[in-house]
Structure formats: C-alpha cells, structure tokens
Amino acid sequence: MNSRRAFSRSFAMAGMSLALPVLLTGCFTTLSLQEEPPLTVRTGEAPEVAFVMYSDDPAITQFASHKLETCLIQRNVFSFVPEAKVQAAVAASGAQPDAAFGMQPAMYASIAGKTDSEYVLHGVLRIVKALKFTGWRQDVYSMFYLHNAKGDYVDGWRSDTIGTFADPQSELDPYAMVTSVINHTCAKIAGANTFQ
C-alpha cells in the first residue's frame, strides 16, 4: 500500500514539474509591458467623443490623455472634442472626474450635451507605488468608461501593470508604465464592437 502511495506521489510531482514551466511561460508572455497595438484603421466616419481624463498627477494626466487620443485617432476609432470645450463642460456640469467607479449617468449626459458629442470617454489612472530594493516601483491601475449621449453605459476597459514583469528601469518610471497601460487600453478600445 505504501509503494502505491509513493508511486502516486512521485507521479504527481513529475506532472507538476512538467506543468509548472508551461504555466509560468504563459504568465511571462501575457504579463509583460505592452507595446503599441497594430495599426488597424476602422472604415467610415469616427464618432465624436468628449474625453475626460483624471489622475492624481496633472503631468501624467496630460501624457496619458495625449497618448490615448493619438492612438485612437490614428486608428479612426474616435474624433475628439477639443479639450478646452470638454473642461468647460465638466466644470459647468459639476462632474467629478476623479470618481474611480465612474460618474453618475446624468453627468455623462450633461457633458455630452454641452459638447455635442455622441459619447463620453472617462478615464481614471492611479499610480500605485511599491518599495523594492531598486527603488519605488510605479505601478498603474486604470479604468475607462464609455457612455453614450443619454448617459447610458456602453462599455468599459480595465488595465494595470500590477504583477507585470518589467525591466528594473521601466518599473521605476511612471511614464513607461503608463505607456504600457495606454497601449493595452488602446488595443482594447480599438478592437471593441460595442459602439459605432
């Protein structure tokens, strides 16, 4: 009976030793920093969107919003309402762009109405710092929400660098980590079929 149990245990250990590298290989290939997505251009006229972006750091907000706008314009996913018009609409509607779980539908409808846009794209970025031997790792957590002109939820996309494998220099650079998140988000939005 003991030899049978020993055989079962050694068989299970052998199976684990074969399966573990396969599982880890999958993690390493899917949990790395993201490059810019392929340039696949949508046909037809791009819908107009009011883009509201928030992070705790204004420089990061500007960098991320410019990068995502450029990526989506190149792929003909959206045309964007000028930023000054969007900021005026946000201020006039009393919207709170820092709401991590999205704003109230009436806020999205108000912004869309004041900007004459078909959609409102709302993004929230959070920098999450973790101390390592090499310095402060600058992980990024993001959530993007798309609402139509009536304020109805259309789609949402989440991306983060938490748990990704990055070289020591990139993981200490918030702009490198934000770039990865924005590339991932752009690919998701460009590939979505939930809006026209």
Side-chain angles (χ1 to χ4, degrees), residues 53-118:
M53 184 78 183
Y54 176 82
S55 83
D56 295 332
D57 182 338
I60 291 288
T61 302
Q62 196 64 28
F63 175 79
S65 60
H66 175 72
K67 190 146 191 65
L68 185 59
E69 264 188 49
T70 302
C71 186
L72 294 173
I73 288 170
Q74 289 173 342
R75 287 154 183 77
N76 197 38
V77 177
F78 290 121
S79 65
F80 288 82
V81 174
E83 184 182 355
K85 190 174 183 180
V86 174
Q87 293 303 324
V90 168
S93 66
Q96 298 172 324
D98 62 336
F101 299 107
M103 298 182 285
Q104 296 297 319
M107 294 293 148
Y108 292 112
S110 176
I111 293 168
K114 290 176 180 9
T115 58
D116 297 320
S117 58
E118 298 173 61

Side-chain angles (χ1 to χ4, degrees), residues 34-37 42 51 53 64 67-69 71-72 75 77-78 121-125 140-146 155-161 177-192 195:
Q34 301 292 305
E35 298 294 324
E36 189 168 316
R42 288 186 176 199
F51 184 26
M53 184 78 183
K67 190 146 191 65
L68 185 59
E69 264 188 49
C71 186
L72 294 173
R75 287 154 183 77
V77 177
F78 290 121
L121 178 62
H122 175 211
V124 179
L125 285 178
V140 179
Y141 176 84
S142 72
M143 192 66 210
F144 287 84
Y145 307 93
L146 185 68
D155 208 342
W157 303 276
R158 184 185 74 79
S159 184
D160 64 68
T161 60
M177 301 299 258
V178 166
T179 297
S180 174
V181 163
I182 294 301
N183 288 340
H184 190 223
T185 301
C186 180
K188 286 178 163 184
I189 295 173
F195 59 91

